[in-house]
Amino acid sequence: MGWSVPQAEPQQKPPAWSPWVCVFIFLTAFALALVWVVLDTPSTGLYPLSSGHYLPLTGFMLVGILSCLSLYLLIWEAGALMYYSWTHWQANTNAAWQHWTHQHLHIVDSVNFTTHLDLYPQVAGLYRPEGDNEESAVLLFPEDDAPPGIYRFDVICRHILTSFQDAIKTLNRPKQVTFRLYVQTQTEVTETHVLYLEELWQTLYPGYSLQVNPVRPQASLETVGTCLDAHTPCLVIAMQYYDGVEEKPLSEIATGLLLSPANLLRPNAPQLFRAMPLNLKTLPEDLLELRDMTQQPAESLRLLWFSGLTDTLRQKLNAVVHDLKLPLRKEAPMGGQLDFDKGCGMYGSLSGWLMIGAAADMITRGQGSQWVLAAAEGSAWAVVIGNKAPVQADYHSQLPRDVYPAGCLVASLLFNLVLFWSLGNAFPDWLFSFWGAITLILTLVVTMIGSAVGLRIVLNRLLEPHFIRSAQQGS
């Protein structure tokens, strides 16, 4: 799956045209002309040049030479044009896809709430507690007396949105800007949840409007593309809260992200790049393509978060990391491959955004660029986060130059030779007159250029359907 970058069927690079073939054509034509002269010469001796007897032979010899040269050079030119079209089309396609994948959002601010103090630094190996065997708590903010359900949802959202007050002021957005809020929980976000969010937003930020976009519980990280395409500030809230339904509820956890496509005052702000769909059956190929897209320099990668992978896929991922020689932080657990499910809990599809929040936190702690791999409900996605500039690949530096129209020029010369030879036979008196010569010279300039350019256009039109079919089949 991966990025599914279109690939046209590769074209074999044609060999350079050989001058020795042209020399062979000339020598063959001269040899045949000599044979004709010998066979046509009477016993009395050669015809004098003033008789004009050899003029037709000269014309036929030139026509034969130009015909053979046109055939040879046009075949070479057609092959060269196919190769030229393929290389330039592939380079332009790769450049366009890389430009699309390099689109990103700035993480203006992020906040993570967990019931276990320093949970994410502990998972990343930055903090090692001693003798901490206490059972983890279930509720966030136990000091807030709120019953399970919508009230717990409101309390957590209030803490997240309140923490963004300074960051929203830093954005310095005009009042007419609408913020988009994407909300994902372990259950469906209902209209009641939306009403609570709108009332809370108007209380905290009365000057800004809010558009709430509920995210399905089964959705993974495809929302990243939706945020990118919005071109407006976005907030993301992902949480697991106690709704009073489960007998043994998971510990509450929440992540909030403030995303903006605008340039920020902080040049080192983390960047969230476009998510790539993964095919877990072809995980090595997809991760190789993710690395080669250079959303972040490969040498800056330090941590890899993953969730929803089976034991077999974990082993496969470890082998892929080894084969790709990813420079993960060796001091981190599992050599920099962080299993979010084992370290934090089985939060299913929520783990995608929770891991992004954890990765953003690690970046602010100086842990470099990171990958996030989330698999849930039959879909899998990979997201790159980092504070380095993306690396632009130079797809056009080694492209071949435009094909020299040698075949078209020779064919144009042949066309003009036959054309004016026919005119000379039909109107000899006019052609060899003063005005005839002037007309011949002026017309020759137009027909030589026009026929060469026209033949090149016709050749491109004839080759275009074949190349389009090749590109479609390759895609």
Side-chain angles (χ1 to χ4, degrees):
M1 187 180 296
W3 295 114
S4 299
V5 181
Q7 300 287 335
E9 182 180 354
Q11 299 292 323
Q12 185 177 3
K13 185 178 181 179
W17 67 277
S18 174
W20 295 109
V21 175
C22 301
V23 172
F24 175 76
I25 292 173
F26 274 96
L27 293 179
T28 302
F30 281 119
L32 292 176
L34 182 60
V35 170
W36 184 86
V37 169
V38 171
L39 295 178
D40 188 56
T41 301
S43 57
T44 56
L46 295 173
Y47 294 102
L49 295 177
S50 59
S51 65
H53 181 76
Y54 299 107
L55 187 58
L57 173 62
T58 304
F60 285 121
M61 184 177 67
L62 288 176
V63 170
I65 291 174
L66 292 178
S67 298
C68 294
L69 286 176
S70 299
L71 180 63
Y72 168 66
L73 293 176
L74 281 174
I75 293 175
W76 167 83
E77 189 175 341
L81 282 173
M82 286 298 298
Y83 181 75
Y84 174 86
S85 299
W86 172 72
T87 53
H88 281 259
W89 181 87
Q90 197 64 67
N92 292 335
T93 301
N94 291 337
W97 269 82
Q98 188 185 60
H99 175 74
W100 185 76
T101 58
H102 282 185
Q103 294 175 358
H104 59 272
L105 294 167
H106 294 285
I107 302 180
V108 184
D109 197 7
S110 63
V111 60
N112 299 296
F113 294 114
T114 59
T115 56
H116 190 290
L117 185 63
D118 294 326
L119 176 62
Y120 293 154
Q122 180 179 337
V123 173
L126 301 180
Y127 170 72
R128 302 183 185 278
E130 297 180 0
D132 186 11
N133 296 322
E134 297 182 2
E135 185 178 355
S136 60
V138 174
L139 298 179
L140 292 170
F141 319 116
E143 68 279 2
D144 292 328
D145 186 14
I150 189 65
Y151 300 103
R152 296 294 309 165
F153 173 84
D154 180 68
V155 165
I156 297 174
C157 289
R158 184 179 298 274
H159 279 274
I160 293 175
L161 294 179
T162 302
S163 64
F164 289 150
Q165 286 183 341
D166 294 337
I168 290 178
K169 291 179 181 178
T170 303
L171 286 177
N172 195 22
R173 294 290 182 171
K175 295 299 182 180
Q176 62 269 22
V177 169
T178 299
F179 283 77
R180 296 172 182 264
L181 174 59
Y182 296 88
V183 184
Q184 184 181 22
T185 70
Q186 77 273 18
T187 60
E188 292 287 345
V189 178
T190 63
E191 293 183 2
T192 305
H193 293 85
V194 174
L195 289 175
Y196 269 81
L197 283 171
E198 291 176 346
E199 292 177 1
L200 177 60
W201 179 265
Q202 290 301 321
T203 301
L204 297 175
Y205 308 102
Y208 297 101
S209 58
L210 181 71
Q211 178 182 344
V212 181
N213 299 279
V215 180
R216 295 179 297 105
Q218 300 80 15
S220 184
L221 291 174
E222 56 265 37
T223 318
V224 175
T226 308
C227 297
L228 280 166
D229 296 334
H231 301 292
T232 56
C234 300
L235 295 107
V236 177
I237 295 178
M239 71 170 73
Q240 168 89 24
Y241 68 96
Y242 182 32
D243 56 6
V245 177
E246 299 89 349
E247 295 181 359
K248 295 182 179 181
L250 292 172
S251 298
E252 288 186 337
I253 192 170
T255 287
L257 297 167
L258 175 59
L259 310 173
S260 174
N263 294 327
L264 302 179
L265 299 178
R266 294 184 300 159
N268 294 326
Q271 303 167 14
L272 175 65
F273 289 85
R274 191 176 290 275
M276 182 182 79
L278 286 177
N279 184 353
L280 297 179
K281 296 181 180 179
T282 59
L283 188 62
E285 293 81 2
D286 286 1
L287 293 185
L288 174 63
E289 192 172 9
L290 179 66
R291 185 199 66 180
D292 293 343
M293 274 298 178
T294 59
Q295 293 174 317
Q296 287 286 277
E299 60 271 13
S300 69
L301 183 62
R302 292 297 177 265
L303 295 175
L304 190 155
W305 300 79
F306 65 89
S307 171
L309 301 183
T310 62
D311 293 337
T312 303
L313 287 174
R314 290 191 188 98
Q315 297 175 2
K316 193 174 183 180
L317 177 62
N318 186 44
V320 173
V321 171
H322 180 268
D323 293 339
L324 295 181
K325 296 180 173 58
L326 300 179
L328 302 181
R329 187 166 63 89
K330 301 303 181 184
E331 300 80 9
M334 297 177 59
Q337 302 174 54
L338 308 180
D339 190 342
F340 190 84
D341 295 336
K342 291 185 177 180
C344 302
M346 305 293 291
Y347 291 102
S349 299
L350 285 174
S351 299
W353 282 108
L354 296 177
M355 287 189 292
I356 290 179
D361 184 27
M362 292 301 104
I363 290 176
T364 59
R365 296 173 186 263
Q367 295 305 297
S369 303
Q370 299 169 52
W371 283 3
V372 172
L373 274 60
E377 301 294 335
S379 66
W381 296 80
V383 171
V384 177
I385 305 172
N387 53 8
K388 302 291 185 181
V391 181
Q392 298 290 337
D394 189 5
Y395 292 107
H396 296 86
S397 61
Q398 302 298 326
L399 291 179
R401 295 181 179 179
D402 196 2
V403 181
Y404 184 75
C408 293
L409 290 176
V410 176
S412 174
L413 185 60
L414 173 62
F415 168 74
N416 284 275
L417 176 63
V418 174
L419 174 63
F420 290 105
W421 190 2
S422 302
L423 288 176
N425 288 330
F427 310 101
D429 296 335
W430 171 82
L431 186 63
F432 292 100
S433 65
F434 174 77
W435 291 110
I438 296 297
T439 305
L440 172 64
I441 295 173
L442 296 177
T443 306
L444 188 62
V445 173
V446 176
T447 55
M448 277 291 293
I449 299 176
S451 57
V453 173
L455 185 57
R456 184 62 174 267
I457 294 174
V458 171
L459 189 61
N460 282 325
R461 290 292 184 269
L462 292 175
L463 295 176
E464 185 178 13
H466 171 74
F467 177 76
I468 292 176
R469 288 194 299 271
S470 172
Q472 291 174 344
Q473 292 172 359
S475 300

